[in-house]
Amino acid sequence: MSTYKSDFLNTLSTRGYIHQCSDATGLDALAAKGDVTAYIGFDCTAKSLHVGSLVQIMLLHWAQELGQKSIALMGGGTTRVGDPSGRDESRKLLTLEDIEDNKRGIQQVFAKFLRFGSGPRDALMIDNAEWLTKLNYLDMLRDVGRHFSVNRMLAMDSVKLRLEREHELSFIEFNYMVLQAYDFAELARRYGCNLQMGGSDQWGNIINGIDLGRRMGTHQLFALTTPLITLASGAKMGKTSSGAVWLNADMLSPYGYWQFWRNTEDADVGRFLKLFTALPLAEIAKLEALGGSEINIAKKMLADKATAMLHGQKAAEDASETARKTFEEGESAAGLPTLELDLSAGVGVLQAAVLAGFASSNGEARRSIQGGAIRVNDVAVSDEKMQLTAASLNSEGVIKLSMGKKKHVLIKPKQG
RNA sequence: GGGGGAGUGUCCCGAGUGGCAAAGGGGGGGGACUGUAAAUCCCCUGGCUUCGCCUUCGUAGGUUCGAGUCCUACCUCCCCCA
Protein backbone atom coordinates (compact mmCIF):
# COMPACT_ATOMS: atom_id res chain seq x y z
CA MET A 1 0.00 0.00 0.00
CA SER A 2 2.83 2.39 0.82
CA THR A 3 3.51 3.39 -2.71
CA TYR A 4 3.41 7.11 -2.15
CA LYS A 5 6.29 9.48 -1.53
CA SER A 6 4.34 11.75 0.78
CA ASP A 7 3.30 11.03 4.35
CA PHE A 8 0.03 12.66 3.50
CA LEU A 9 -1.14 10.18 0.89
CA ASN A 10 0.52 7.26 2.62
CA THR A 11 -1.33 7.91 5.81
CA LEU A 12 -4.64 8.56 4.10
CA SER A 13 -4.26 5.46 2.03
CA THR A 14 -3.25 3.08 4.81
CA ARG A 15 -5.91 4.37 7.16
CA GLY A 16 -8.60 3.80 4.58
CA TYR A 17 -9.64 7.30 3.65
CA ILE A 18 -9.16 7.11 -0.09
CA HIS A 19 -11.88 6.03 -2.45
CA GLN A 20 -10.97 7.93 -5.59
CA CYS A 21 -8.25 10.37 -6.47
CA SER A 22 -8.05 12.32 -9.72
CA ASP A 23 -4.27 12.19 -10.15
CA ALA A 24 -2.60 10.46 -7.25
CA THR A 25 0.89 10.82 -8.65
CA GLY A 26 0.58 14.52 -9.26
CA LEU A 27 -0.99 15.11 -5.88
CA ASP A 28 1.66 12.99 -4.21
CA ALA A 29 4.41 15.15 -5.69
CA LEU A 30 2.80 18.31 -4.32
CA ALA A 31 2.17 16.72 -0.93
CA ALA A 32 5.78 15.60 -0.68
CA LYS A 33 6.72 19.27 -0.82
CA GLY A 34 3.99 20.30 1.60
CA ASP A 35 2.34 22.32 -1.12
CA VAL A 36 -1.19 20.98 -0.81
CA THR A 37 -3.95 23.33 0.24
CA ALA A 38 -6.99 21.14 0.77
CA TYR A 39 -10.56 22.17 1.33
CA ILE A 40 -13.81 20.47 2.15
CA GLY A 41 -17.16 22.19 2.04
CA PHE A 42 -19.79 21.76 4.73
CA ASP A 43 -23.29 22.95 4.09
CA CYS A 44 -25.23 24.43 6.97
CA THR A 45 -28.29 22.25 6.86
CA ALA A 46 -28.52 21.52 10.58
CA LYS A 47 -27.42 23.08 13.85
CA SER A 48 -24.65 20.54 14.16
CA LEU A 49 -22.71 18.19 11.98
CA HIS A 50 -23.02 14.50 12.78
CA VAL A 51 -20.66 11.54 12.54
CA GLY A 52 -21.42 11.29 8.85
CA SER A 53 -19.13 14.29 8.37
CA LEU A 54 -16.47 13.04 10.71
CA VAL A 55 -14.44 11.26 8.05
CA GLN A 56 -14.23 14.56 6.21
CA ILE A 57 -13.22 16.46 9.31
CA MET A 58 -10.55 13.87 10.03
CA LEU A 59 -9.26 14.35 6.53
CA LEU A 60 -8.71 18.05 7.16
CA HIS A 61 -7.12 17.14 10.46
CA TRP A 62 -4.63 14.80 8.82
CA ALA A 63 -3.86 17.25 6.05
CA GLN A 64 -2.80 19.78 8.62
CA GLU A 65 -0.98 17.25 10.79
CA LEU A 66 0.96 16.03 7.80
CA GLY A 67 2.30 19.35 6.68
CA GLN A 68 -0.36 20.63 4.33
CA LYS A 69 -2.81 23.51 4.66
CA SER A 70 -6.46 22.89 5.45
CA ILE A 71 -9.48 24.98 4.66
CA ALA A 72 -12.88 24.32 6.22
CA LEU A 73 -15.38 25.92 3.90
CA MET A 74 -18.74 26.84 5.38
CA GLY A 75 -21.52 26.65 2.83
CA GLY A 76 -23.22 29.83 3.90
CA GLY A 77 -23.91 30.52 0.25
CA THR A 78 -24.44 27.07 -1.21
CA THR A 79 -26.86 26.08 1.55
CA ARG A 80 -29.22 28.72 0.19
CA VAL A 81 -29.42 26.59 -2.92
CA GLY A 82 -29.33 23.04 -1.60
CA ASP A 83 -27.27 20.12 -2.86
CA PRO A 84 -29.40 17.56 -4.73
CA SER A 85 -26.65 14.90 -4.58
CA GLY A 86 -27.87 11.64 -3.21
CA ARG A 87 -31.35 12.85 -2.51
CA ASP A 88 -34.40 11.92 -4.44
CA GLU A 89 -36.44 14.78 -3.15
CA SER A 90 -35.76 18.48 -2.87
CA ARG A 91 -34.62 19.81 0.42
CA LYS A 92 -36.89 22.44 1.73
CA LEU A 93 -35.27 25.81 1.40
CA LEU A 94 -33.87 27.11 4.64
CA THR A 95 -34.34 30.69 5.70
CA LEU A 96 -31.27 32.89 5.82
CA GLU A 97 -31.60 33.12 9.59
CA ASP A 98 -31.63 29.35 9.94
CA ILE A 99 -28.56 29.05 7.78
CA GLU A 100 -26.66 31.60 9.86
CA ASP A 101 -27.80 29.83 12.98
CA ASN A 102 -26.69 26.47 11.67
CA LYS A 103 -23.38 27.89 10.60
CA ARG A 104 -22.66 29.12 14.09
CA GLY A 105 -23.47 25.69 15.45
CA ILE A 106 -21.32 23.84 12.96
CA GLN A 107 -18.28 26.07 13.27
CA GLN A 108 -17.67 25.16 16.91
CA VAL A 109 -16.58 21.66 16.07
CA PHE A 110 -13.68 22.49 13.81
CA ALA A 111 -11.55 24.10 16.49
CA LYS A 112 -11.29 20.66 18.08
CA PHE A 113 -9.71 19.14 15.02
CA LEU A 114 -7.82 22.00 13.42
CA ARG A 115 -5.48 24.78 14.51
CA PHE A 116 -6.73 28.01 13.05
CA GLY A 117 -4.68 31.12 12.61
CA SER A 118 -2.90 33.26 10.09
CA GLY A 119 0.38 31.38 9.88
CA PRO A 120 1.32 29.45 6.74
CA ARG A 121 0.40 26.08 8.27
CA ASP A 122 -2.65 27.30 10.14
CA ALA A 123 -6.06 26.19 8.99
CA LEU A 124 -8.58 28.62 7.56
CA MET A 125 -12.31 28.81 7.95
CA ILE A 126 -14.04 30.55 5.10
CA ASP A 127 -17.67 31.05 4.16
CA ASN A 128 -18.54 30.81 0.50
CA ALA A 129 -21.27 33.39 1.03
CA GLU A 130 -18.33 35.79 0.89
CA TRP A 131 -18.21 35.57 -2.89
CA LEU A 132 -21.38 33.74 -3.88
CA THR A 133 -23.70 36.41 -2.57
CA LYS A 134 -21.90 39.02 -4.62
CA LEU A 135 -22.29 37.26 -7.93
CA ASN A 136 -24.17 39.02 -10.64
CA TYR A 137 -26.35 36.73 -12.74
CA LEU A 138 -25.31 37.91 -16.18
CA ASP A 139 -21.63 38.09 -15.33
CA MET A 140 -21.87 34.68 -13.79
CA LEU A 141 -23.44 33.23 -16.91
CA ARG A 142 -20.80 34.78 -19.17
CA ASP A 143 -17.76 34.00 -17.03
CA VAL A 144 -18.71 30.68 -15.54
CA GLY A 145 -21.87 29.39 -17.16
CA ARG A 146 -20.33 29.21 -20.60
CA HIS A 147 -17.88 26.59 -19.36
CA PHE A 148 -20.64 24.22 -18.39
CA SER A 149 -22.19 21.78 -20.80
CA VAL A 150 -25.79 20.99 -19.98
CA ASN A 151 -25.32 17.72 -21.83
CA ARG A 152 -22.73 16.71 -19.29
CA MET A 153 -24.66 18.08 -16.37
CA LEU A 154 -27.61 15.91 -17.31
CA ALA A 155 -25.36 12.88 -17.24
CA MET A 156 -24.26 13.55 -13.65
CA ASP A 157 -25.45 11.00 -11.12
CA SER A 158 -27.12 13.56 -8.91
CA VAL A 159 -29.21 14.79 -11.84
CA LYS A 160 -29.70 11.47 -13.59
CA LEU A 161 -31.13 9.91 -10.48
CA ARG A 162 -33.89 12.47 -10.30
CA LEU A 163 -34.65 12.36 -13.99
CA GLU A 164 -34.78 8.59 -14.18
CA ARG A 165 -37.07 8.34 -11.21
CA GLU A 166 -39.15 11.14 -12.59
CA HIS A 167 -38.64 13.15 -9.48
CA GLU A 168 -38.67 16.89 -9.53
CA LEU A 169 -35.34 18.65 -9.83
CA SER A 170 -35.74 22.38 -9.61
CA PHE A 171 -33.59 24.81 -11.50
CA ILE A 172 -32.11 26.18 -8.31
CA GLU A 173 -30.85 22.73 -7.33
CA PHE A 174 -29.56 22.13 -10.82
CA ASN A 175 -27.28 25.09 -10.24
CA TYR A 176 -25.71 23.68 -7.11
CA MET A 177 -22.91 21.93 -8.94
CA VAL A 178 -22.06 25.14 -10.77
CA LEU A 179 -21.67 26.98 -7.51
CA GLN A 180 -19.59 24.24 -5.97
CA ALA A 181 -17.32 24.19 -8.99
CA TYR A 182 -17.03 27.93 -8.77
CA ASP A 183 -16.10 27.67 -5.09
CA PHE A 184 -13.17 25.47 -5.97
CA ALA A 185 -11.94 27.84 -8.64
CA GLU A 186 -12.41 30.81 -6.36
CA LEU A 187 -10.51 29.15 -3.50
CA ALA A 188 -7.75 28.32 -5.93
CA ARG A 189 -7.47 31.94 -6.97
CA ARG A 190 -7.79 33.46 -3.53
CA TYR A 191 -5.93 30.98 -1.36
CA GLY A 192 -3.91 28.83 -3.72
CA CYS A 193 -6.17 25.91 -2.90
CA ASN A 194 -5.44 22.90 -5.10
CA LEU A 195 -7.29 19.97 -3.58
CA GLN A 196 -10.93 19.40 -2.82
CA MET A 197 -11.85 16.42 -0.72
CA GLY A 198 -15.25 15.03 0.10
CA GLY A 199 -17.48 12.00 0.30
CA SER A 200 -17.72 9.69 -2.67
CA ASP A 201 -21.03 11.27 -3.66
CA GLN A 202 -19.15 14.51 -4.25
CA TRP A 203 -16.88 13.13 -6.94
CA GLY A 204 -18.88 14.55 -9.81
CA ASN A 205 -19.14 17.98 -8.25
CA ILE A 206 -15.44 18.06 -7.49
CA ILE A 207 -14.48 17.00 -11.00
CA ASN A 208 -16.63 19.81 -12.34
CA GLY A 209 -14.58 22.18 -10.22
CA ILE A 210 -11.35 20.82 -11.67
CA ASP A 211 -12.66 21.31 -15.20
CA LEU A 212 -13.87 24.78 -14.45
CA GLY A 213 -10.52 25.66 -12.93
CA ARG A 214 -8.70 24.53 -16.05
CA ARG A 215 -11.01 26.53 -18.28
CA MET A 216 -10.70 29.58 -16.11
CA GLY A 217 -6.95 29.28 -16.05
CA THR A 218 -6.16 28.28 -12.48
CA HIS A 219 -3.32 25.99 -11.52
CA GLN A 220 -3.93 22.24 -11.67
CA LEU A 221 -6.61 21.13 -9.21
CA PHE A 222 -7.05 17.71 -7.62
CA ALA A 223 -9.90 15.61 -6.28
CA LEU A 224 -9.86 13.08 -3.49
CA THR A 225 -12.92 11.31 -2.15
CA THR A 226 -13.53 9.06 0.82
CA PRO A 227 -15.44 5.81 0.69
CA LEU A 228 -18.98 5.79 1.98
CA ILE A 229 -18.68 4.52 5.52
CA THR A 230 -21.20 1.79 6.23
CA LEU A 231 -21.39 -0.68 9.04
CA ALA A 232 -20.24 -4.23 8.54
CA SER A 233 -23.90 -5.21 8.72
CA GLY A 234 -24.59 -2.98 5.76
CA ALA A 235 -26.54 -0.29 7.56
CA LYS A 236 -25.71 3.36 7.27
CA MET A 237 -23.54 4.66 10.02
CA GLY A 238 -24.58 7.32 12.44
CA LYS A 239 -27.71 6.34 14.26
CA THR A 240 -28.12 5.53 17.90
CA SER A 241 -31.21 4.43 19.71
CA SER A 242 -31.98 8.06 20.34
CA GLY A 243 -31.32 9.54 16.93
CA ALA A 244 -28.48 10.99 14.92
CA VAL A 245 -25.00 11.08 16.38
CA TRP A 246 -24.45 14.81 16.59
CA LEU A 247 -21.04 16.28 17.18
CA ASN A 248 -22.17 19.28 19.22
CA ALA A 249 -22.28 18.52 22.92
CA ASP A 250 -25.59 20.29 23.41
CA MET A 251 -27.23 17.91 20.96
CA LEU A 252 -25.55 14.70 22.06
CA SER A 253 -23.73 14.48 25.37
CA PRO A 254 -20.13 13.28 25.47
CA TYR A 255 -21.48 10.24 27.31
CA GLY A 256 -23.91 9.52 24.47
CA TYR A 257 -21.12 10.01 21.98
CA TRP A 258 -18.85 7.66 23.89
CA GLN A 259 -21.64 5.07 23.98
CA PHE A 260 -22.08 5.30 20.23
CA TRP A 261 -18.48 4.26 19.67
CA ARG A 262 -18.54 1.69 22.46
CA ASN A 263 -21.39 -0.08 20.67
CA THR A 264 -19.49 -0.48 17.42
CA GLU A 265 -19.88 -3.83 15.75
CA ASP A 266 -16.91 -6.20 16.14
CA ALA A 267 -16.16 -6.23 12.47
CA ASP A 268 -15.90 -2.43 12.31
CA VAL A 269 -13.56 -1.72 15.19
CA GLY A 270 -10.28 -1.85 13.32
CA ARG A 271 -11.55 0.20 10.43
CA PHE A 272 -13.05 2.79 12.74
CA LEU A 273 -9.91 3.07 14.85
CA LYS A 274 -8.03 3.95 11.70
CA LEU A 275 -10.61 6.40 10.45
CA PHE A 276 -11.78 8.09 13.60
CA THR A 277 -8.78 8.15 15.93
CA ALA A 278 -5.20 9.24 15.49
CA LEU A 279 -3.89 6.13 17.17
CA PRO A 280 -0.73 4.78 15.49
CA LEU A 281 -1.36 1.90 13.12
CA ALA A 282 0.86 -0.45 15.07
CA GLU A 283 -1.31 -0.04 18.14
CA ILE A 284 -4.45 -0.47 16.14
CA ALA A 285 -3.08 -3.69 14.72
CA LYS A 286 -2.65 -5.04 18.25
CA LEU A 287 -6.17 -4.06 19.23
CA GLU A 288 -7.58 -5.56 16.07
CA ALA A 289 -5.94 -8.87 16.87
CA LEU A 290 -7.99 -9.24 20.04
CA GLY A 291 -10.58 -11.94 19.76
CA GLY A 292 -13.78 -12.88 21.50
CA SER A 293 -14.92 -10.64 24.30
CA GLU A 294 -11.47 -9.05 24.44
CA ILE A 295 -12.48 -7.01 21.43
CA ASN A 296 -14.29 -4.86 23.95
CA ILE A 297 -10.94 -3.44 24.99
CA ALA A 298 -10.55 -2.17 21.46
CA LYS A 299 -14.06 -0.73 21.53
CA LYS A 300 -13.36 1.16 24.73
CA MET A 301 -10.17 2.51 23.23
CA LEU A 302 -12.09 3.62 20.17
CA ALA A 303 -14.70 5.32 22.35
CA ASP A 304 -12.05 6.95 24.53
CA LYS A 305 -9.96 8.28 21.67
CA ALA A 306 -12.83 9.40 19.49
CA THR A 307 -14.54 11.16 22.38
CA ALA A 308 -11.30 12.77 23.51
CA MET A 309 -10.72 14.19 20.04
CA LEU A 310 -14.13 15.82 19.95
CA HIS A 311 -14.94 16.65 23.56
CA GLY A 312 -11.54 16.57 25.22
CA GLN A 313 -9.65 14.17 27.43
CA LYS A 314 -11.58 14.99 30.58
CA ALA A 315 -14.99 14.42 29.00
CA ALA A 316 -13.82 11.12 27.56
CA GLU A 317 -12.57 9.92 30.95
CA ASP A 318 -15.82 10.95 32.63
CA ALA A 319 -17.87 9.15 30.03
CA SER A 320 -15.72 6.09 30.30
CA GLU A 321 -16.04 6.08 34.09
CA THR A 322 -19.79 6.58 33.97
CA ALA A 323 -20.10 3.67 31.58
CA ARG A 324 -17.87 1.47 33.70
CA LYS A 325 -19.93 2.08 36.82
CA THR A 326 -23.21 1.68 35.00
CA PHE A 327 -22.47 -1.42 33.00
CA GLU A 328 -19.72 -3.18 34.87
CA GLU A 329 -20.80 -2.47 38.43
CA GLY A 330 -24.49 -1.79 37.97
CA GLU A 331 -24.34 1.39 40.00
CA SER A 332 -26.18 4.59 39.40
CA ALA A 333 -23.18 6.58 38.22
CA ALA A 334 -23.40 10.31 38.69
CA GLY A 335 -22.43 10.98 35.09
CA LEU A 336 -25.73 9.72 33.70
CA PRO A 337 -28.24 12.22 32.38
CA THR A 338 -30.40 13.65 35.14
CA LEU A 339 -33.98 14.80 35.37
CA GLU A 340 -35.41 16.94 38.15
CA LEU A 341 -38.93 16.14 39.24
CA ASP A 342 -41.14 17.34 42.05
CA LEU A 343 -41.70 14.11 43.93
CA SER A 344 -43.77 15.51 46.79
CA ALA A 345 -47.05 14.56 45.15
CA GLY A 346 -45.65 11.54 43.38
CA VAL A 347 -45.04 11.18 39.67
CA GLY A 348 -46.42 8.29 37.64
CA VAL A 349 -43.84 6.00 36.05
CA LEU A 350 -45.50 6.49 32.70
CA GLN A 351 -45.07 10.23 32.88
CA ALA A 352 -41.54 9.90 34.19
CA ALA A 353 -40.62 7.63 31.28
CA VAL A 354 -42.02 10.18 28.85
CA LEU A 355 -40.16 13.04 30.54
CA ALA A 356 -36.97 11.00 30.46
CA GLY A 357 -37.37 10.68 26.70
CA PHE A 358 -37.86 6.92 26.76
CA ALA A 359 -41.28 7.15 25.14
CA SER A 360 -43.15 9.80 23.23
CA SER A 361 -46.53 9.04 24.76
CA ASN A 362 -47.98 7.40 27.82
CA GLY A 363 -49.24 4.61 25.63
CA GLU A 364 -45.77 3.86 24.35
CA ALA A 365 -44.44 3.90 27.91
CA ARG A 366 -47.24 1.56 28.92
CA ARG A 367 -46.33 -0.89 26.20
CA SER A 368 -42.70 -0.74 27.25
CA ILE A 369 -43.71 -1.67 30.78
CA GLN A 370 -45.81 -4.53 29.48
CA GLY A 371 -42.75 -5.68 27.58
CA GLY A 372 -40.68 -5.56 30.75
CA ALA A 373 -38.40 -2.79 29.52
CA ILE A 374 -38.74 -0.19 32.27
CA ARG A 375 -36.87 -0.48 35.56
CA VAL A 376 -36.80 1.71 38.63
CA ASN A 377 -33.61 1.37 40.63
CA ASP A 378 -32.85 -1.75 38.58
CA VAL A 379 -36.12 -3.43 39.52
CA ALA A 380 -38.47 -4.15 36.63
CA VAL A 381 -41.74 -2.24 36.81
CA SER A 382 -44.83 -4.40 36.52
CA ASP A 383 -47.47 -1.93 37.65
CA GLU A 384 -47.99 0.84 35.15
CA LYS A 385 -49.76 2.93 37.76
CA MET A 386 -46.72 2.93 40.02
CA GLN A 387 -45.92 6.31 41.56
CA LEU A 388 -42.43 7.64 42.07
CA THR A 389 -42.17 9.45 45.39
CA ALA A 390 -39.49 10.48 47.84
CA ALA A 391 -39.71 6.93 49.16
CA SER A 392 -38.33 5.65 45.86
CA LEU A 393 -35.05 7.48 46.30
CA ASN A 394 -32.12 5.14 46.69
CA SER A 395 -29.26 5.48 49.14
CA GLU A 396 -27.64 8.05 46.90
CA GLY A 397 -30.71 10.28 46.95
CA VAL A 398 -31.75 9.63 43.34
CA ILE A 399 -34.08 7.35 41.44
CA LYS A 400 -32.45 5.41 38.63
CA LEU A 401 -34.95 5.02 35.85
CA SER A 402 -33.90 2.70 33.06
CA MET A 403 -35.27 1.48 29.79
CA GLY A 404 -33.61 -1.49 28.26
CA LYS A 405 -30.02 -2.13 29.05
CA LYS A 406 -28.58 1.07 27.76
CA LYS A 407 -30.86 3.96 28.56
CA HIS A 408 -30.60 5.32 32.06
CA VAL A 409 -31.70 8.56 33.68
CA LEU A 410 -31.20 9.69 37.24
CA ILE A 411 -34.23 11.42 38.73
CA LYS A 412 -33.46 13.97 41.39
CA PRO A 413 -36.05 15.60 43.62
CA LYS A 414 -36.71 19.17 42.61
CA GLN A 415 -35.66 21.61 45.31
CA GLY A 416 -38.35 23.95 46.64
C1' G B 1 -56.74 21.68 -23.84
C1' G B 2 -58.47 16.02 -24.42
C1' G B 3 -57.95 10.86 -22.42
C1' G B 4 -56.00 7.51 -18.59
C1' G B 5 -53.81 6.46 -13.67
C1' A B 6 -52.33 7.48 -8.63
C1' G B 7 -52.42 9.79 -3.58
C1' U B 8 -53.34 4.47 2.65
C1' G B 9 -51.38 4.15 9.56
C1' U B 10 -47.15 12.06 9.52
C1' C B 11 -40.33 7.09 9.37
C1' C B 12 -40.55 4.50 4.53
C1' C B 13 -42.59 0.85 1.08
C1' G B 14 -47.11 -1.22 0.37
C1' A B 15 -52.23 -4.84 0.42
C1' G B 16 -57.14 -3.54 1.08
C1' U B 17 -64.69 -7.65 -1.47
C1' G B 18 -69.05 -1.34 2.15
C1' G B 19 -68.41 -3.74 8.88
C1' C B 20 -61.34 -1.55 9.54
C1' A B 21 -57.55 0.68 14.31
C1' A B 22 -57.06 -1.26 8.54
C1' A B 23 -52.86 -7.36 5.78
C1' G B 24 -47.57 -7.66 4.87
C1' G B 25 -42.59 -5.85 4.70
C1' G B 26 -38.51 -2.51 5.91
C1' G B 27 -36.90 0.71 9.70
C1' G B 28 -37.37 1.57 15.00
C1' G B 29 -38.05 -0.02 20.37
C1' G B 30 -38.02 -4.04 23.94
C1' G B 31 -37.06 -9.20 25.63
C1' A B 32 -34.12 -13.96 25.31
C1' C B 33 -29.05 -15.63 24.06
C1' U B 34 -24.19 -13.05 24.56
C1' G B 35 -19.45 -9.54 25.40
C1' U B 36 -23.06 -2.71 26.23
C1' A B 37 -21.11 -6.80 19.38
C1' A B 38 -23.13 -9.51 15.18
C1' A B 39 -26.42 -13.44 13.81
C1' U B 40 -30.87 -15.88 15.51
C1' C B 41 -35.67 -16.34 18.03
C1' C B 42 -39.92 -13.86 20.51
C1' C B 43 -42.98 -9.38 21.66
C1' C B 44 -44.37 -4.23 20.58
C1' U B 45 -44.66 -0.21 16.86
C1' G B 46 -52.32 5.78 16.43
C1' G B 47 -53.92 8.85 21.17
C1' C B 48 -56.37 8.96 25.92
C1' U B 49 -58.63 9.72 32.18
C1' U B 50 -57.88 2.07 28.40
C1' C B 51 -63.11 -3.70 30.23
C1' G B 52 -64.47 2.08 27.18
C1' C B 53 -63.76 6.58 24.37
C1' C B 54 -61.36 9.64 20.53
C1' U B 55 -58.63 10.35 15.91
C1' U B 56 -56.62 8.19 11.22
C1' C B 57 -56.53 6.19 4.38
C1' G B 58 -54.90 13.85 -0.51
C1' U B 59 -59.09 18.00 0.82
C1' A B 60 -64.31 19.18 1.29
C1' G B 61 -69.11 17.56 0.86
C1' G B 62 -72.83 13.47 -0.16
C1' U B 63 -75.23 8.30 -0.33
C1' U B 64 -75.62 4.49 3.68
C1' C B 65 -77.40 1.69 10.02
C1' G B 66 -72.20 1.70 8.62
C1' A B 67 -67.23 4.39 3.77
C1' G B 68 -60.12 3.68 2.87
C1' U B 69 -63.68 1.20 -0.15
C1' C B 70 -69.64 4.10 -3.70
C1' C B 71 -71.04 9.41 -5.70
C1' U B 72 -69.69 14.86 -6.48
C1' A B 73 -66.29 18.86 -6.46
C1' C B 74 -61.47 20.43 -5.55
C1' C B 75 -55.92 19.90 -4.75
C1' U B 76 -51.28 17.43 -5.99
C1' C B 77 -48.40 14.03 -8.92
C1' C B 78 -47.58 10.71 -13.15
C1' C B 79 -48.59 8.68 -18.24
C1' C B 80 -50.61 9.15 -23.32
C1' C B 81 -52.59 12.48 -27.12
C1' A B 82 -52.52 17.89 -28.67
Side-chain angles (χ1 to χ4, degrees), chain A residues 340-344 412-416:
Chain A
E340 287 200 359
L341 293 179
D342 180 6
L343 299 172
S344 53
K412 293 182 174 170
K414 187 174 276 178
Q415 307 298 339

Side-chain angles (χ1 to χ4, degrees), chain A residues 89 91 219:
Chain A
E89 272 174 46
R91 297 168 190 273
H219 47 262

Side-chain angles (χ1 to χ4, degrees), chain A residues 340-347 352 387-393 397-399 411-414:
Chain A
E340 287 200 359
L341 293 179
D342 180 6
L343 299 172
S344 53
V347 176
Q387 292 285 312
L388 299 181
T389 64
S392 321
L393 296 170
V398 297
I399 300 172
I411 296 174
K412 293 182 174 170
K414 187 174 276 178

Side-chain angles (χ1 to χ4, degrees), chain A residues 1 9-18 58 62 66 227 270-282 284:
Chain A
M1 284 294 270
L9 283 188
N10 265 330
T11 301
L12 258 47
S13 158
T14 49
R15 295 189 84 103
Y17 289 100
I18 301 180
M58 288 299 292
W62 282 118
L66 299 170
R271 194 160 51 107
F272 285 3
L273 279 166
K274 287 182 204 151
L275 289 170
F276 301 111
T277 75
L279 218 55
L281 290 169
I284 294 177

Side-chain angles (χ1 to χ4, degrees), chain A residues 142-410:
Chain A
R142 287 180 64 87
D143 298 341
V144 178
R146 70 189 162 110
H147 297 304
F148 280 81
S149 148
V150 172
N151 308 47
R152 275 197 53 204
M153 288 168 82
L154 291 176
M156 306 262 307
D157 277 348
S158 56
V159 174
K160 212 165 54 176
L161 181 92
R162 294 276 188 92
L163 294 181
E164 280 172 359
R165 293 183 165 194
E166 290 163 351
H167 281 155
E168 176 79 6
L169 176 72
S170 68
F171 183 64
I172 183 173
E173 296 175 279
F174 188 56
N175 278 273
Y176 187 91
M177 65 173 95
V178 176
L179 297 182
Q180 185 170 340
Y182 182 71
D183 276 351
F184 199 177
E186 194 64 25
L187 284 168
R189 282 205 293 227
R190 292 186 179 211
Y191 302 96
C193 178
N194 48 18
L195 170 64
Q196 181 180 177
M197 308 186 288
S200 55
D201 58 335
Q202 293 297 313
W203 179 255
N205 286 343
I206 299 175
I207 290 301
N208 268 334
I210 295 181
D211 279 350
L212 180 64
R214 181 180 302 117
R215 288 165 209 234
M216 291 178 74
T218 68
H219 47 262
Q220 178 64 51
L221 304 178
F222 297 88
L224 190 152
T225 57
T226 56
L228 179 67
I229 309 298
T230 52
L231 304 183
S233 57
K236 252 189 215 164
M237 181 185 176
K239 282 286 175 65
T240 61
S241 47
S242 42
V245 183
W246 301 108
L247 300 184
N248 289 9
D250 55 349
M251 292 180 73
L252 179 67
S253 68
Y255 173 73
Y257 190 72
W258 193 92
Q259 280 297 321
F260 167 73
W261 294 108
R262 173 66 247 264
N263 286 307
T264 299
E265 294 176 26
D266 287 8
D268 289 324
V269 183
R271 194 160 51 107
F272 285 3
L273 279 166
K274 287 182 204 151
L275 289 170
F276 301 111
T277 75
L279 218 55
L281 290 169
E283 261 185 77
I284 294 177
K286 279 185 216 155
L287 290 168
E288 262 185 302
L290 297 171
S293 62
E294 288 211 306
I295 192 93
N296 284 327
I297 295 168
K299 292 187 190 181
K300 285 179 204 168
M301 182 63 88
L302 171 63
D304 285 346
K305 294 296 178 191
T307 307
M309 275 196 103
L310 178 62
H311 295 300
Q313 188 62 34
K314 173 79 169 63
E317 283 168 14
D318 289 350
S320 176
E321 181 59 11
T322 299
R324 195 185 61 78
K325 280 188 178 163
T326 306
F327 289 96
E328 294 175 24
E329 296 177 11
E331 288 178 11
S332 40
L336 292 172
T338 60
L339 178 68
E340 287 200 359
L341 293 179
D342 180 6
L343 299 172
S344 53
V347 176
V349 250
L350 294 180
Q351 198 196 345
V354 171
L355 291 171
F358 294 166
S360 55
S361 69
N362 286 0
E364 196 179 324
R366 186 175 286 120
R367 286 191 295 270
S368 294
I369 286 176
Q370 283 160 5
I374 306 273
R375 276 165 294 130
V376 168
N377 293 327
D378 297 313
V379 178
V381 176
S382 53
D383 175 14
E384 60 189 48
K385 294 208 173 75
M386 175 181 180
Q387 292 285 312
L388 299 181
T389 64
S392 321
L393 296 170
N394 66 15
S395 55
E396 288 153 65
V398 297
I399 300 172
K400 184 181 177 191
L401 183 68
S402 314
M403 164 142 162
K405 279 183 276 195
K406 295 179 189 172
K407 295 181 197 164
H408 307 278
V409 164
L410 298 183

